[in-house]
PDB file of all heavy atoms in Angstrom:
ATOM      1  N   ASN A   1     -55.333  25.643  96.440  1.00 95.00           N
ATOM      2  CA  ASN A   1     -55.692  24.582  97.376  1.00 95.00           C
ATOM      3  C   ASN A   1     -54.819  24.647  98.631  1.00 95.00           C
ATOM      4  O   ASN A   1     -55.317  24.511  99.754  1.00 95.00           O
ATOM      5  CB  ASN A   1     -55.529  23.220  96.710  1.00 95.00           C
ATOM      6  CG  ASN A   1     -55.925  22.081  97.626  1.00 95.00           C
ATOM      7  OD1 ASN A   1     -57.073  21.978  98.058  1.00 95.00           O
ATOM      8  ND2 ASN A   1     -54.978  21.212  97.933  1.00 95.00           N
ATOM      9  N   ILE A   2     -53.531  24.873  98.457  1.00 94.00           N
ATOM     10  CA  ILE A   2     -52.615  24.973  99.596  1.00 94.00           C
ATOM     11  C   ILE A   2     -52.986  26.152 100.487  1.00 94.00           C
ATOM     12  O   ILE A   2     -53.027  26.034 101.722  1.00 94.00           O
ATOM     13  CB  ILE A   2     -51.159  25.111  99.104  1.00 94.00           C
ATOM     14  CG1 ILE A   2     -50.674  23.791  98.500  1.00 94.00           C
ATOM     15  CG2 ILE A   2     -50.228  25.531 100.247  1.00 94.00           C
ATOM     16  CD1 ILE A   2     -49.358  23.890  97.768  1.00 94.00           C
ATOM     17  N   LEU A   3     -53.283  27.283  99.877  1.00 94.00           N
ATOM     18  CA  LEU A   3     -53.590  28.481 100.656  1.00 94.00           C
ATOM     19  C   LEU A   3     -54.875  28.337 101.464  1.00 94.00           C
ATOM     20  O   LEU A   3     -55.040  28.975 102.502  1.00 94.00           O
ATOM     21  CB  LEU A   3     -53.691  29.700  99.729  1.00 94.00           C
ATOM     22  CG  LEU A   3     -52.380  30.110  99.041  1.00 94.00           C
ATOM     23  CD1 LEU A   3     -52.605  31.289  98.117  1.00 94.00           C
ATOM     24  CD2 LEU A   3     -51.304  30.435 100.071  1.00 94.00           C
ATOM     25  N   LEU A   4     -55.756  27.471 101.009  1.00 91.00           N
ATOM     26  CA  LEU A   4     -57.012  27.257 101.737  1.00 91.00           C
ATOM     27  C   LEU A   4     -56.913  26.165 102.792  1.00 91.00           C
ATOM     28  O   LEU A   4     -57.586  26.225 103.819  1.00 91.00           O
ATOM     29  CB  LEU A   4     -58.131  26.898 100.751  1.00 91.00           C
ATOM     30  CG  LEU A   4     -58.677  28.030  99.888  1.00 91.00           C
ATOM     31  CD1 LEU A   4     -59.654  27.478  98.860  1.00 91.00           C
ATOM     32  CD2 LEU A   4     -59.356  29.089 100.759  1.00 91.00           C
ATOM     33  N   THR A   5     -56.075  25.159 102.553  1.00 87.00           N
ATOM     34  CA  THR A   5     -56.135  23.962 103.401  1.00 87.00           C
ATOM     35  C   THR A   5     -54.864  23.638 104.186  1.00 87.00           C
ATOM     36  O   THR A   5     -54.939  22.976 105.213  1.00 87.00           O
ATOM     37  CB  THR A   5     -56.476  22.727 102.538  1.00 87.00           C
ATOM     38  OG1 THR A   5     -55.409  22.509 101.589  1.00 87.00           O
ATOM     39  CG2 THR A   5     -57.776  22.936 101.783  1.00 87.00           C
ATOM     40  N   ALA A   6     -53.700  24.058 103.711  1.00 85.00           N
ATOM     41  CA  ALA A   6     -52.446  23.616 104.341  1.00 85.00           C
ATOM     42  C   ALA A   6     -52.264  24.224 105.723  1.00 85.00           C
ATOM     43  O   ALA A   6     -52.694  25.353 105.989  1.00 85.00           O
ATOM     44  CB  ALA A   6     -51.253  23.966 103.462  1.00 85.00           C
ATOM     45  N   SER A   7     -51.596  23.461 106.590  1.00 80.00           N
ATOM     46  CA  SER A   7     -51.312  23.944 107.948  1.00 80.00           C
ATOM     47  C   SER A   7     -49.824  23.825 108.258  1.00 80.00           C
ATOM     48  O   SER A   7     -49.440  23.613 109.398  1.00 80.00           O
ATOM     49  CB  SER A   7     -52.131  23.149 108.972  1.00 80.00           C
ATOM     50  OG  SER A   7     -53.500  23.342 108.777  1.00 80.00           O
ATOM     51  N   ASN A   8     -49.027  23.964 107.230  1.00 82.00           N
ATOM     52  CA  ASN A   8     -47.585  23.917 107.398  1.00 82.00           C
ATOM     53  C   ASN A   8     -47.018  25.289 107.073  1.00 82.00           C
ATOM     54  O   ASN A   8     -47.254  25.825 105.998  1.00 82.00           O
ATOM     55  CB  ASN A   8     -46.987  22.857 106.464  1.00 82.00           C
ATOM     56  CG  ASN A   8     -45.480  22.858 106.484  1.00 82.00           C
ATOM     57  OD1 ASN A   8     -44.871  23.689 105.828  1.00 82.00           O
ATOM     58  ND2 ASN A   8     -44.889  21.963 107.224  1.00 82.00           N
ATOM     59  N   LYS A   9     -46.257  25.859 107.991  1.00 83.00           N
ATOM     60  CA  LYS A   9     -45.760  27.227 107.816  1.00 83.00           C
ATOM     61  C   LYS A   9     -44.933  27.390 106.549  1.00 83.00           C
ATOM     62  O   LYS A   9     -45.133  28.333 105.782  1.00 83.00           O
ATOM     63  CB  LYS A   9     -44.917  27.632 109.026  1.00 83.00           C
ATOM     64  CG  LYS A   9     -45.715  27.945 110.268  1.00 83.00           C
ATOM     65  CD  LYS A   9     -44.795  28.440 111.364  1.00 83.00           C
ATOM     66  CE  LYS A   9     -45.580  28.807 112.612  1.00 83.00           C
ATOM     67  NZ  LYS A   9     -44.691  29.302 113.688  1.00 83.00           N
ATOM     68  N   GLU A  10     -43.992  26.494 106.350  1.00 87.00           N
ATOM     69  CA  GLU A  10     -43.101  26.616 105.198  1.00 87.00           C
ATOM     70  C   GLU A  10     -43.879  26.517 103.889  1.00 87.00           C
ATOM     71  O   GLU A  10     -43.661  27.300 102.957  1.00 87.00           O
ATOM     72  CB  GLU A  10     -42.025  25.522 105.241  1.00 87.00           C
ATOM     73  CG  GLU A  10     -40.982  25.719 106.324  1.00 87.00           C
ATOM     74  CD  GLU A  10     -40.039  26.879 106.037  1.00 87.00           C
ATOM     75  OE1 GLU A  10     -39.897  27.262 104.858  1.00 87.00           O
ATOM     76  OE2 GLU A  10     -39.444  27.406 106.987  1.00 87.00           O
ATOM     77  N   LEU A  11     -44.762  25.550 103.815  1.00 91.00           N
ATOM     78  CA  LEU A  11     -45.529  25.336 102.591  1.00 91.00           C
ATOM     79  C   LEU A  11     -46.451  26.516 102.307  1.00 91.00           C
ATOM     80  O   LEU A  11     -46.564  26.984 101.165  1.00 91.00           O
ATOM     81  CB  LEU A  11     -46.337  24.039 102.695  1.00 91.00           C
ATOM     82  CG  LEU A  11     -47.124  23.623 101.448  1.00 91.00           C
ATOM     83  CD1 LEU A  11     -46.207  23.488 100.239  1.00 91.00           C
ATOM     84  CD2 LEU A  11     -47.856  22.311 101.705  1.00 91.00           C
ATOM     85  N   LEU A  12     -47.119  27.026 103.337  1.00 93.00           N
ATOM     86  CA  LEU A  12     -48.007  28.173 103.163  1.00 93.00           C
ATOM     87  C   LEU A  12     -47.238  29.413 102.728  1.00 93.00           C
ATOM     88  O   LEU A  12     -47.667  30.146 101.833  1.00 93.00           O
ATOM     89  CB  LEU A  12     -48.748  28.455 104.467  1.00 93.00           C
ATOM     90  CG  LEU A  12     -50.060  27.708 104.673  1.00 93.00           C
ATOM     91  CD1 LEU A  12     -50.508  27.804 106.117  1.00 93.00           C
ATOM     92  CD2 LEU A  12     -51.132  28.257 103.752  1.00 93.00           C
ATOM     93  N   ALA A  13     -46.100  29.648 103.361  1.00 94.00           N
ATOM     94  CA  ALA A  13     -45.299  30.825 103.027  1.00 94.00           C
ATOM     95  C   ALA A  13     -44.841  30.780 101.577  1.00 94.00           C
ATOM     96  O   ALA A  13     -44.933  31.772 100.840  1.00 94.00           O
ATOM     97  CB  ALA A  13     -44.091  30.915 103.957  1.00 94.00           C
ATOM     98  N   ILE A  14     -44.360  29.626 101.147  1.00 96.00           N
ATOM     99  CA  ILE A  14     -43.864  29.496  99.780  1.00 96.00           C
ATOM    100  C   ILE A  14     -45.014  29.553  98.774  1.00 96.00           C
ATOM    101  O   ILE A  14     -44.859  30.072  97.672  1.00 96.00           O
ATOM    102  CB  ILE A  14     -43.025  28.214  99.647  1.00 96.00           C
ATOM    103  CG1 ILE A  14     -41.684  28.433 100.358  1.00 96.00           C
ATOM    104  CG2 ILE A  14     -42.822  27.809  98.205  1.00 96.00           C
ATOM    105  CD1 ILE A  14     -40.771  27.261 100.401  1.00 96.00           C
ATOM    106  N   ALA A  15     -46.180  29.044  99.172  1.00 97.00           N
ATOM    107  CA  ALA A  15     -47.348  29.140  98.289  1.00 97.00           C
ATOM    108  C   ALA A  15     -47.736  30.609  98.082  1.00 97.00           C
ATOM    109  O   ALA A  15     -48.059  31.023  96.960  1.00 97.00           O
ATOM    110  CB  ALA A  15     -48.512  28.354  98.874  1.00 97.00           C
ATOM    111  N   LEU A  16     -47.707  31.405  99.150  1.00 97.00           N
ATOM    112  CA  LEU A  16     -47.995  32.832  99.024  1.00 97.00           C
ATOM    113  C   LEU A  16     -46.963  33.517  98.132  1.00 97.00           C
ATOM    114  O   LEU A  16     -47.301  34.360  97.291  1.00 97.00           O
ATOM    115  CB  LEU A  16     -48.002  33.497 100.405  1.00 97.00           C
ATOM    116  CG  LEU A  16     -49.285  33.366 101.214  1.00 97.00           C
ATOM    117  CD1 LEU A  16     -49.056  33.806 102.656  1.00 97.00           C
ATOM    118  CD2 LEU A  16     -50.402  34.195 100.582  1.00 97.00           C
ATOM    119  N   TYR A  17     -45.710  33.136  98.315  1.00 98.00           N
ATOM    120  CA  TYR A  17     -44.633  33.714  97.514  1.00 98.00           C
ATOM    121  C   TYR A  17     -44.828  33.407  96.029  1.00 98.00           C
ATOM    122  O   TYR A  17     -44.751  34.305  95.183  1.00 98.00           O
ATOM    123  CB  TYR A  17     -43.298  33.159  98.014  1.00 98.00           C
ATOM    124  CG  TYR A  17     -42.120  33.471  97.124  1.00 98.00           C
ATOM    125  CD1 TYR A  17     -41.568  34.752  97.089  1.00 98.00           C
ATOM    126  CD2 TYR A  17     -41.561  32.480  96.311  1.00 98.00           C
ATOM    127  CE1 TYR A  17     -40.486  35.041  96.273  1.00 98.00           C
ATOM    128  CE2 TYR A  17     -40.482  32.764  95.494  1.00 98.00           C
ATOM    129  CZ  TYR A  17     -39.946  34.036  95.473  1.00 98.00           C
ATOM    130  OH  TYR A  17     -38.876  34.320  94.661  1.00 98.00           O
ATOM    131  N   TYR A  18     -45.117  32.143  95.708  1.00 98.00           N
ATOM    132  CA  TYR A  18     -45.310  31.781  94.306  1.00 98.00           C
ATOM    133  C   TYR A  18     -46.590  32.380  93.729  1.00 98.00           C
ATOM    134  O   TYR A  18     -46.650  32.726  92.541  1.00 98.00           O
ATOM    135  CB  TYR A  18     -45.305  30.264  94.135  1.00 98.00           C
ATOM    136  CG  TYR A  18     -43.913  29.689  94.005  1.00 98.00           C
ATOM    137  CD1 TYR A  18     -43.453  28.732  94.899  1.00 98.00           C
ATOM    138  CD2 TYR A  18     -43.053  30.111  92.997  1.00 98.00           C
ATOM    139  CE1 TYR A  18     -42.164  28.209  94.793  1.00 98.00           C
ATOM    140  CE2 TYR A  18     -41.776  29.599  92.884  1.00 98.00           C
ATOM    141  CZ  TYR A  18     -41.336  28.653  93.783  1.00 98.00           C
ATOM    142  OH  TYR A  18     -40.066  28.156  93.672  1.00 98.00           O
ATOM    143  N   LYS A  19     -47.604  32.518  94.573  1.00 98.00           N
ATOM    144  CA  LYS A  19     -48.841  33.153  94.104  1.00 98.00           C
ATOM    145  C   LYS A  19     -48.552  34.602  93.713  1.00 98.00           C
ATOM    146  O   LYS A  19     -49.058  35.107  92.693  1.00 98.00           O
ATOM    147  CB  LYS A  19     -49.907  33.089  95.203  1.00 98.00           C
ATOM    148  CG  LYS A  19     -51.303  33.453  94.725  1.00 98.00           C
ATOM    149  CD  LYS A  19     -51.888  32.423  93.788  1.00 98.00           C
ATOM    150  CE  LYS A  19     -53.296  32.782  93.367  1.00 98.00           C
ATOM    151  NZ  LYS A  19     -53.869  31.822  92.424  1.00 98.00           N
ATOM    152  N   GLY A  20     -47.722  35.252  94.519  1.00 98.00           N
ATOM    153  CA  GLY A  20     -47.315  36.615  94.187  1.00 98.00           C
ATOM    154  C   GLY A  20     -46.520  36.663  92.897  1.00 98.00           C
ATOM    155  O   GLY A  20     -46.728  37.535  92.047  1.00 98.00           O
ATOM    156  N   LYS A  21     -45.602  35.713  92.731  1.00 98.00           N
ATOM    157  CA  LYS A  21     -44.766  35.674  91.530  1.00 98.00           C
ATOM    158  C   LYS A  21     -45.608  35.412  90.274  1.00 98.00           C
ATOM    159  O   LYS A  21     -45.415  36.058  89.236  1.00 98.00           O
ATOM    160  CB  LYS A  21     -43.714  34.569  91.667  1.00 98.00           C
ATOM    161  CG  LYS A  21     -42.719  34.782  92.788  1.00 98.00           C
ATOM    162  CD  LYS A  21     -41.432  35.391  92.315  1.00 98.00           C
ATOM    163  CE  LYS A  21     -40.594  34.397  91.560  1.00 98.00           C
ATOM    164  NZ  LYS A  21     -39.254  34.951  91.219  1.00 98.00           N
ATOM    165  N   VAL A  22     -46.531  34.460  90.365  1.00 98.00           N
ATOM    166  CA  VAL A  22     -47.383  34.138  89.219  1.00 98.00           C
ATOM    167  C   VAL A  22     -48.239  35.347  88.838  1.00 98.00           C
ATOM    168  O   VAL A  22     -48.362  35.691  87.652  1.00 98.00           O
ATOM    169  CB  VAL A  22     -48.290  32.927  89.545  1.00 98.00           C
ATOM    170  CG1 VAL A  22     -49.381  32.771  88.500  1.00 98.00           C
ATOM    171  CG2 VAL A  22     -47.461  31.655  89.634  1.00 98.00           C
ATOM    172  N   THR A  23     -48.811  35.989  89.848  1.00 97.00           N
ATOM    173  CA  THR A  23     -49.670  37.142  89.591  1.00 97.00           C
ATOM    174  C   THR A  23     -48.884  38.305  89.001  1.00 97.00           C
ATOM    175  O   THR A  23     -49.380  39.034  88.129  1.00 97.00           O
ATOM    176  CB  THR A  23     -50.354  37.598  90.898  1.00 97.00           C
ATOM    177  OG1 THR A  23     -50.991  36.478  91.518  1.00 97.00           O
ATOM    178  CG2 THR A  23     -51.401  38.672  90.628  1.00 97.00           C
ATOM    179  N   LEU A  24     -47.645  38.452  89.447  1.00 97.00           N
ATOM    180  CA  LEU A  24     -46.819  39.562  88.978  1.00 97.00           C
ATOM    181  C   LEU A  24     -46.253  39.321  87.587  1.00 97.00           C
ATOM    182  O   LEU A  24     -46.363  40.177  86.693  1.00 97.00           O
ATOM    183  CB  LEU A  24     -45.671  39.805  89.964  1.00 97.00           C
ATOM    184  CG  LEU A  24     -44.694  40.927  89.609  1.00 97.00           C
ATOM    185  CD1 LEU A  24     -45.395  42.274  89.597  1.00 97.00           C
ATOM    186  CD2 LEU A  24     -43.526  40.946  90.597  1.00 97.00           C
ATOM    187  N   TYR A  25     -45.679  38.161  87.370  1.00 96.00           N
ATOM    188  CA  TYR A  25     -44.914  37.930  86.139  1.00 96.00           C
ATOM    189  C   TYR A  25     -45.713  37.266  85.015  1.00 96.00           C
ATOM    190  O   TYR A  25     -45.315  37.351  83.856  1.00 96.00           O
ATOM    191  CB  TYR A  25     -43.674  37.103  86.453  1.00 96.00           C
ATOM    192  CG  TYR A  25     -42.732  37.821  87.393  1.00 96.00           C
ATOM    193  CD1 TYR A  25     -42.554  37.376  88.697  1.00 96.00           C
ATOM    194  CD2 TYR A  25     -42.048  38.962  86.979  1.00 96.00           C
ATOM    195  CE1 TYR A  25     -41.706  38.043  89.565  1.00 96.00           C
ATOM    196  CE2 TYR A  25     -41.203  39.637  87.846  1.00 96.00           C
ATOM    197  CZ  TYR A  25     -41.031  39.182  89.137  1.00 96.00           C
ATOM    198  OH  TYR A  25     -40.199  39.859  90.009  1.00 96.00           O
ATOM    199  N   PHE A  26     -46.822  36.626  85.357  1.00 96.00           N
ATOM    200  CA  PHE A  26     -47.635  36.003  84.311  1.00 96.00           C
ATOM    201  C   PHE A  26     -48.952  36.760  84.090  1.00 96.00           C
ATOM    202  O   PHE A  26     -49.374  36.949  82.956  1.00 96.00           O
ATOM    203  CB  PHE A  26     -47.922  34.540  84.644  1.00 96.00           C
ATOM    204  CG  PHE A  26     -46.690  33.672  84.597  1.00 96.00           C
ATOM    205  CD1 PHE A  26     -46.117  33.197  85.762  1.00 96.00           C
ATOM    206  CD2 PHE A  26     -46.092  33.341  83.391  1.00 96.00           C
ATOM    207  CE1 PHE A  26     -44.975  32.411  85.737  1.00 96.00           C
ATOM    208  CE2 PHE A  26     -44.951  32.554  83.345  1.00 96.00           C
ATOM    209  CZ  PHE A  26     -44.386  32.089  84.518  1.00 96.00           C
ATOM    210  N   SER A  27     -49.581  37.173  85.187  1.00 94.00           N
ATOM    211  CA  SER A  27     -50.840  37.927  85.058  1.00 94.00           C
ATOM    212  C   SER A  27     -50.605  39.430  84.966  1.00 94.00           C
ATOM    213  O   SER A  27     -51.539  40.183  84.660  1.00 94.00           O
ATOM    214  CB  SER A  27     -51.756  37.623  86.256  1.00 94.00           C
ATOM    215  OG  SER A  27     -52.038  36.245  86.335  1.00 94.00           O
ATOM    216  N   LYS A  28     -49.390  39.851  85.283  1.00 95.00           N
ATOM    217  CA  LYS A  28     -49.001  41.268  85.192  1.00 95.00           C
ATOM    218  C   LYS A  28     -49.866  42.173  86.069  1.00 95.00           C
ATOM    219  O   LYS A  28     -50.161  43.308  85.713  1.00 95.00           O
ATOM    220  CB  LYS A  28     -49.071  41.752  83.732  1.00 95.00           C
ATOM    221  CG  LYS A  28     -48.303  40.901  82.729  1.00 95.00           C
ATOM    222  CD  LYS A  28     -46.818  40.897  83.008  1.00 95.00           C
ATOM    223  CE  LYS A  28     -46.054  40.088  81.972  1.00 95.00           C
ATOM    224  NZ  LYS A  28     -44.600  40.012  82.249  1.00 95.00           N
ATOM    225  N   ASN A  29     -50.252  41.647  87.236  1.00 96.00           N
ATOM    226  CA  ASN A  29     -51.070  42.441  88.155  1.00 96.00           C
ATOM    227  C   ASN A  29     -50.228  42.753  89.389  1.00 96.00           C
ATOM    228  O   ASN A  29     -50.190  41.972  90.337  1.00 96.00           O
ATOM    229  CB  ASN A  29     -52.342  41.680  88.532  1.00 96.00           C
ATOM    230  CG  ASN A  29     -53.337  42.571  89.236  1.00 96.00           C
ATOM    231  OD1 ASN A  29     -52.976  43.457  90.003  1.00 96.00           O
ATOM    232  ND2 ASN A  29     -54.626  42.339  88.974  1.00 96.00           N
ATOM    233  N   ARG A  30     -49.562  43.887  89.368  1.00 95.00           N
ATOM    234  CA  ARG A  30     -48.628  44.239  90.430  1.00 95.00           C
ATOM    235  C   ARG A  30     -49.332  44.442  91.774  1.00 95.00           C
ATOM    236  O   ARG A  30     -48.845  43.977  92.815  1.00 95.00           O
ATOM    237  CB  ARG A  30     -47.877  45.512  90.050  1.00 95.00           C
ATOM    238  CG  ARG A  30     -46.923  46.027  91.128  1.00 95.00           C
ATOM    239  CD  ARG A  30     -46.197  47.290  90.665  1.00 95.00           C
ATOM    240  NE  ARG A  30     -45.601  47.977  91.785  1.00 95.00           N
ATOM    241  CZ  ARG A  30     -46.240  48.824  92.571  1.00 95.00           C
ATOM    242  NH1 ARG A  30     -47.542  49.075  92.353  1.00 95.00           N
ATOM    243  NH2 ARG A  30     -45.637  49.407  93.589  1.00 95.00           N
ATOM    244  N   ASP A  31     -50.463  45.106  91.799  1.00 94.00           N
ATOM    245  CA  ASP A  31     -51.143  45.410  93.055  1.00 94.00           C
ATOM    246  C   ASP A  31     -51.584  44.137  93.783  1.00 94.00           C
ATOM    247  O   ASP A  31     -51.411  44.010  94.999  1.00 94.00           O
ATOM    248  CB  ASP A  31     -52.359  46.308  92.810  1.00 94.00           C
ATOM    249  CG  ASP A  31     -51.948  47.710  92.367  1.00 94.00           C
ATOM    250  OD1 ASP A  31     -50.788  48.093  92.641  1.00 94.00           O
ATOM    251  OD2 ASP A  31     -52.767  48.396  91.723  1.00 94.00           O
ATOM    252  N   ILE A  32     -52.170  43.189  93.036  1.00 96.00           N
ATOM    253  CA  ILE A  32     -52.610  41.941  93.654  1.00 96.00           C
ATOM    254  C   ILE A  32     -51.417  41.116  94.112  1.00 96.00           C
ATOM    255  O   ILE A  32     -51.432  40.514  95.198  1.00 96.00           O
ATOM    256  CB  ILE A  32     -53.482  41.116  92.675  1.00 96.00           C
ATOM    257  CG1 ILE A  32     -54.743  41.883  92.310  1.00 96.00           C
ATOM    258  CG2 ILE A  32     -53.839  39.761  93.288  1.00 96.00           C
ATOM    259  CD1 ILE A  32     -55.653  42.172  93.488  1.00 96.00           C
ATOM    260  N   SER A  33     -50.374  41.112  93.304  1.00 97.00           N
ATOM    261  CA  SER A  33     -49.179  40.336  93.671  1.00 97.00           C
ATOM    262  C   SER A  33     -48.582  40.847  94.980  1.00 97.00           C
ATOM    263  O   SER A  33     -48.143  40.054  95.821  1.00 97.00           O
ATOM    264  CB  SER A  33     -48.135  40.390  92.557  1.00 97.00           C
ATOM    265  OG  SER A  33     -47.541  41.664  92.460  1.00 97.00           O
ATOM    266  N   LEU A  34     -48.567  42.156  95.152  1.00 97.00           N
ATOM    267  CA  LEU A  34     -48.008  42.729  96.381  1.00 97.00           C
ATOM    268  C   LEU A  34     -48.796  42.295  97.610  1.00 97.00           C
ATOM    269  O   LEU A  34     -48.226  42.129  98.689  1.00 97.00           O
ATOM    270  CB  LEU A  34     -47.970  44.253  96.286  1.00 97.00           C
ATOM    271  CG  LEU A  34     -46.881  44.836  95.372  1.00 97.00           C
ATOM    272  CD1 LEU A  34     -47.026  46.344  95.243  1.00 97.00           C
ATOM    273  CD2 LEU A  34     -45.501  44.467  95.884  1.00 97.00           C
ATOM    274  N   LYS A  35     -50.079  42.081  97.448  1.00 97.00           N
ATOM    275  CA  LYS A  35     -50.885  41.615  98.581  1.00 97.00           C
ATOM    276  C   LYS A  35     -50.426  40.233  99.039  1.00 97.00           C
ATOM    277  O   LYS A  35     -50.346  39.958 100.243  1.00 97.00           O
ATOM    278  CB  LYS A  35     -52.367  41.591  98.207  1.00 97.00           C
ATOM    279  CG  LYS A  35     -52.989  42.973  98.084  1.00 97.00           C
ATOM    280  CD  LYS A  35     -54.495  42.885  97.877  1.00 97.00           C
ATOM    281  CE  LYS A  35     -55.118  44.265  97.837  1.00 97.00           C
ATOM    282  NZ  LYS A  35     -56.602  44.206  97.703  1.00 97.00           N
ATOM    283  N   TYR A  36     -50.118  39.361  98.062  1.00 98.00           N
ATOM    284  CA  TYR A  36     -49.613  38.032  98.437  1.00 98.00           C
ATOM    285  C   TYR A  36     -48.257  38.139  99.126  1.00 98.00           C
ATOM    286  O   TYR A  36     -48.019  37.492 100.155  1.00 98.00           O
ATOM    287  CB  TYR A  36     -49.505  37.147  97.195  1.00 98.00           C
ATOM    288  CG  TYR A  36     -50.836  36.711  96.630  1.00 98.00           C
ATOM    289  CD1 TYR A  36     -51.250  37.119  95.371  1.00 98.00           C
ATOM    290  CD2 TYR A  36     -51.685  35.888  97.377  1.00 98.00           C
ATOM    291  CE1 TYR A  36     -52.477  36.718  94.855  1.00 98.00           C
ATOM    292  CE2 TYR A  36     -52.908  35.475  96.869  1.00 98.00           C
ATOM    293  CZ  TYR A  36     -53.299  35.895  95.603  1.00 98.00           C
ATOM    294  OH  TYR A  36     -54.519  35.498  95.095  1.00 98.00           O
ATOM    295  N   PHE A  37     -47.366  38.955  98.571  1.00 98.00           N
ATOM    296  CA  PHE A  37     -46.047  39.125  99.176  1.00 98.00           C
ATOM    297  C   PHE A  37     -46.159  39.730 100.583  1.00 98.00           C
ATOM    298  O   PHE A  37     -45.427  39.343 101.492  1.00 98.00           O
ATOM    299  CB  PHE A  37     -45.167  40.027  98.301  1.00 98.00           C
ATOM    300  CG  PHE A  37     -44.772  39.420  96.988  1.00 98.00           C
ATOM    301  CD1 PHE A  37     -44.829  40.169  95.813  1.00 98.00           C
ATOM    302  CD2 PHE A  37     -44.343  38.108  96.908  1.00 98.00           C
ATOM    303  CE1 PHE A  37     -44.463  39.623  94.597  1.00 98.00           C
ATOM    304  CE2 PHE A  37     -43.979  37.538  95.690  1.00 98.00           C
ATOM    305  CZ  PHE A  37     -44.042  38.304  94.532  1.00 98.00           C
ATOM    306  N   ILE A  38     -47.069  40.670 100.764  1.00 97.00           N
ATOM    307  CA  ILE A  38     -47.243  41.323 102.065  1.00 97.00           C
ATOM    308  C   ILE A  38     -47.780  40.340 103.097  1.00 97.00           C
ATOM    309  O   ILE A  38     -47.353  40.331 104.253  1.00 97.00           O
ATOM    310  CB  ILE A  38     -48.166  42.555 101.936  1.00 97.00           C
ATOM    311  CG1 ILE A  38     -47.445  43.671 101.174  1.00 97.00           C
ATOM    312  CG2 ILE A  38     -48.608  43.053 103.316  1.00 97.00           C
ATOM    313  CD1 ILE A  38     -48.351  44.820 100.756  1.00 97.00           C
ATOM    314  N   ASN A  39     -48.728  39.483 102.692  1.00 97.00           N
ATOM    315  CA  ASN A  39     -49.247  38.473 103.622  1.00 97.00           C
ATOM    316  C   ASN A  39     -48.159  37.482 104.021  1.00 97.00           C
ATOM    317  O   ASN A  39     -48.071  37.060 105.176  1.00 97.00           O
ATOM    318  CB  ASN A  39     -50.428  37.741 102.987  1.00 97.00           C
ATOM    319  CG  ASN A  39     -51.741  38.473 103.188  1.00 97.00           C
ATOM    320  OD1 ASN A  39     -52.385  38.336 104.218  1.00 97.00           O
ATOM    321  ND2 ASN A  39     -52.121  39.274 102.204  1.00 97.00           N
ATOM    322  N   CYS A  40     -47.315  37.116 103.055  1.00 96.00           N
ATOM    323  CA  CYS A  40     -46.187  36.227 103.361  1.00 96.00           C
ATOM    324  C   CYS A  40     -45.246  36.912 104.351  1.00 96.00           C
ATOM    325  O   CYS A  40     -44.777  36.291 105.314  1.00 96.00           O
ATOM    326  CB  CYS A  40     -45.445  35.876 102.074  1.00 96.00           C
ATOM    327  SG  CYS A  40     -44.073  34.735 102.306  1.00 96.00           S
ATOM    328  N   TYR A  41     -44.989  38.185 104.128  1.00 96.00           N
ATOM    329  CA  TYR A  41     -44.121  38.962 105.014  1.00 96.00           C
ATOM    330  C   TYR A  41     -44.713  39.075 106.415  1.00 96.00           C
ATOM    331  O   TYR A  41     -44.012  38.931 107.419  1.00 96.00           O
ATOM    332  CB  TYR A  41     -43.911  40.354 104.407  1.00 96.00           C
ATOM    333  CG  TYR A  41     -43.451  41.399 105.387  1.00 96.00           C
ATOM    334  CD1 TYR A  41     -42.140  41.438 105.835  1.00 96.00           C
ATOM    335  CD2 TYR A  41     -44.346  42.357 105.868  1.00 96.00           C
ATOM    336  CE1 TYR A  41     -41.727  42.412 106.748  1.00 96.00           C
ATOM    337  CE2 TYR A  41     -43.955  43.326 106.772  1.00 96.00           C
ATOM    338  CZ  TYR A  41     -42.638  43.351 107.203  1.00 96.00           C
ATOM    339  OH  TYR A  41     -42.234  44.300 108.120  1.00 96.00           O
ATOM    340  N   TYR A  42     -46.004  39.292 106.496  1.00 94.00           N
ATOM    341  CA  TYR A  42     -46.648  39.538 107.790  1.00 94.00           C
ATOM    342  C   TYR A  42     -46.788  38.269 108.622  1.00 94.00           C
ATOM    343  O   TYR A  42     -46.489  38.262 109.824  1.00 94.00           O
ATOM    344  CB  TYR A  42     -48.035  40.148 107.556  1.00 94.00           C
ATOM    345  CG  TYR A  42     -48.781  40.467 108.822  1.00 94.00           C
ATOM    346  CD1 TYR A  42     -48.499  41.617 109.553  1.00 94.00           C
ATOM    347  CD2 TYR A  42     -49.768  39.609 109.298  1.00 94.00           C
ATOM    348  CE1 TYR A  42     -49.177  41.908 110.724  1.00 94.00           C
ATOM    349  CE2 TYR A  42     -50.451  39.891 110.469  1.00 94.00           C
ATOM    350  CZ  TYR A  42     -50.156  41.042 111.178  1.00 94.00           C
ATOM    351  OH  TYR A  42     -50.818  41.307 112.338  1.00 94.00           O
TER     352      TYR A  42
END
């Protein structure tokens, strides 16, 4: 929901970061997680 609707830089960045963490450490999908981390970085 945050990634679709939020307009706050800090909140969006941290949401991308946690989405990457959840995908990496709970879903075990490294490739998808890196996409979230890369978008946060960019």
